Amino acid sequence: MFRLFVLLLALVCVTGQPTQAATKDALFFAYAAYCKVPVLKSWTCEWCKDLPNFEIAQVVQNATTEAQFFAGYDKTNNRVLLSVRGTHNFKNILEDLKIKKDPQQFPGAPSDVKIEAGFVQVYNSIAADMSNVLFNLYKKHPFAPLFVTGHSLGAAVAEITAVDMTIGGLNWAWLKRKAIKPSMINFGCPRVGNKAYSDWFQTKLGLDKVRVVNKRDIIPHVPFEAWGFHHTPTEVCCTWGHLIPDLATWMARLQELLLWYNTTG
């Protein structure tokens, strides 16, 4: 039943670019990142069977932040693919809710660019590993384009990753030398940084990026604009009602968020 819901979500949400097929594949890759390491390594997870032409290269999990990603080669689309896991347990949720902005860590970005502290912490915990895995993949597929995806916290980390890749950040100078710029479709992404970050992202980076959101899901609506956070383009919306099953659940998540902010921010 849940698989049917996810497929319907992909079809309902996207009516323009990218194609429905591309969005469905991206969604299945994003959800696969939630699966356990053994079934990912054997590519036998619930979502893997819908993506039979994918060669898994490596699955990496950070013991401290519990962030997880996998990477490999998508033979169907002739591309290298990176998928980052989103919120998996309560510890990850707490990382989601560290509503503080860190100064930019991107070389060449304006000094007023800031991004959310918890997302930065998760990204930094796996950035070097992601770079090493992709570096080895590009030895085998030197001319393949690069695609990045993720859901929820994974979507936020995927966005930061794509930005850092594009500008040739600390771990990604080799990728910039190859003139490879990632494309991205992510799902349920929260606001990652402040308005200066959003403006810089839109005017300077030129990333091929689509952010699929459900208007009834609280996660794309936090951290709040009133706290100085802004979304990056390009947004594709749907109003599928079952991501947040009812108002009581939505309000409970909102109450948790406000409590965390009041005690930490």
Side-chain angles (χ1 to χ4, degrees):
M1 184 66 181
F2 181 65
R3 287 176 53 78
L4 176 62
F5 154 68
V6 171
L7 179 58
L8 288 173
L9 172 64
L11 295 177
V12 169
C13 282
V14 179
T15 57
Q17 293 184 343
T19 66
Q20 291 180 351
T23 304
K24 177 177 70 69
D25 285 355
L27 186 64
F28 286 174
F29 277 120
Y31 270 100
Y34 288 91
C35 297
K36 294 182 179 179
V37 172
V39 292
L40 275 177
K41 286 185 174 180
S42 62
W43 202 243
T44 56
C45 72
E46 179 180 2
W47 311 103
C48 302
K49 61 186 178 183
D50 291 293
L51 304 162
N53 293 319
F54 183 71
E55 296 177 349
I56 187 80
Q58 198 163 343
V59 185
V60 176
Q61 186 178 102
N62 182 275
T64 301
T65 63
E66 299 188 6
Q68 179 172 296
F69 73 88
F70 70 85
Y73 180 64
D74 177 7
K75 293 186 287 186
T76 298
N77 297 289
N78 184 32
R79 63 185 179 183
V80 170
L81 184 138
L82 172 70
S83 179
V84 186
R85 186 176 74 186
T87 303
H88 182 65
N89 57 30
F90 188 70
K91 184 175 182 179
N92 284 162
I93 292 173
L94 293 184
E95 294 295 346
D96 276 354
L97 302 183
K98 288 180 179 177
I99 312 301
K100 301 175 181 178
K101 294 189 289 292
D102 273 354
Q104 60 86 16
Q105 62 173 35
F106 303 122
S111 59
D112 56 347
V113 166
K114 295 182 180 181
I115 51 180
E116 199 274 337
F119 304 158
V120 175
Q121 179 181 346
V122 174
Y123 169 68
N124 285 338
S125 75
I126 56 175
D129 289 327
M130 287 192 291
S131 178
N132 290 335
V133 171
L134 291 184
F135 183 82
N136 289 326
L137 265 170
Y138 270 100
K139 290 180 180 178
K140 298 179 180 178
H141 310 285
F143 304 109
L146 175 60
F147 182 79
V148 181
T149 191
H151 169 259
S152 189
L153 171 59
V157 177
E159 180 174 308
I160 294 171
T161 302
V163 171
D164 216 16
M165 288 172 168
T166 301
I167 63 173
L170 177 63
N171 294 288
W172 301 107
W174 66 268
L175 191 66
K176 188 173 183 180
R177 287 195 298 269
K178 292 176 68 69
I180 293 173
K181 183 179 288 189
S183 61
M184 176 169 52
I185 302 175
N186 63 31
F187 301 88
C189 188
R191 295 183 177 99
V192 172
N194 63 355
K195 188 175 186 303
Y197 166 75
S198 178
D199 291 344
W200 176 68
F201 183 101
Q202 183 171 1
T203 59
K204 298 296 184 184
L205 298 184
L207 276 174
D208 178 11
K209 179 225 176 186
V210 172
R211 183 170 46 80
V212 180
V213 302
N214 185 300
K215 284 295 187 181
R216 296 178 185 177
D217 182 8
I218 189 176
I219 298 303
H221 296 275
V222 297
F224 300 122
E225 284 188 330
W227 298 346
F229 291 87
H230 289 259
H231 268 307
T232 54
T234 297
E235 181 177 281
V236 175
C237 300
C238 67
T239 55
W240 190 263
H242 300 295
L243 287 181
I244 301 298
D246 51 47
L247 181 61
T249 304
W250 197 97
M251 292 302 293
R253 293 181 73 175
L254 177 61
Q255 187 174 18
E256 288 179 0
L257 174 68
L258 292 173
L259 177 63
W260 180 257
Y261 178 71
N262 288 335
T263 57
T264 65

